[in-house]
Amino acid sequence: MTDFCHEGWSETEPATEEIQRICDEVKGQVEERTNTKYGIFRALQYRSQVVEGMNYLIKIHAGGFIYLHVMVFEAYGGKLSVIGVEEGHTKEDPLVPF
């Protein structure tokens, strides 16, 4: 079971197949927000928060030294929406809600 910490966010965990599936689904939304096409879009880590649905904060490797932190909201029923993207992260940066 996931442990929850400050402000209801889970601890950082390794990405799962489900988190990668979410990333694959929202890749187009992220590319629109950043005005960039990504060849690689691999989920590395994530945190989650139960709200009226689920928030996910995901660290994504987008090729080379490009790491993104992406906030995704999953509504009841499964609709996924990107609610934030932070560029300019490194592999070592912690996942901090923004």
Side-chain angles (χ1 to χ4, degrees):
M1 181 167 193
T2 303
D3 292 325
F4 286 88
C5 63
H6 183 65
E7 298 177 21
W9 284 94
S10 70
E11 295 292 334
T12 301
E13 299 182 36
T16 63
E17 287 181 23
E18 174 67 12
I19 297 301
Q20 183 61 55
R21 183 195 63 75
I22 290 170
C23 287
D24 293 343
E25 273 194 54
V26 301
K27 181 180 178 188
Q29 292 180 52
V30 172
E31 289 176 336
E32 274 185 32
R33 283 179 175 252
T34 62
N35 201 28
T36 304
K37 293 288 184 190
Y38 301 106
I40 296 172
F41 206 72
R42 187 168 61 92
L44 300 177
Q45 298 176 321
Y46 78 103
R47 295 176 73 180
S48 59
Q49 178 189 44
V50 177
V51 289
E52 292 294 324
M54 184 72 79
N55 282 330
Y56 296 98
L57 175 56
I58 307 168
K59 181 184 293 185
I60 297 171
H61 179 226
F65 295 101
I66 301 169
Y67 293 87
L68 308 171
H69 288 185
V70 177
M71 187 93 67
V72 177
F73 173 68
E74 183 176 25
Y76 294 119
K79 180 172 170 40
L80 298 168
S81 303
V82 172
I83 55 176
V85 177
E86 286 187 340
E87 299 177 89
H89 282 283
T90 68
K91 185 177 182 180
E92 292 77 25
D93 286 348
L95 281 171
V96 178
F98 55 93

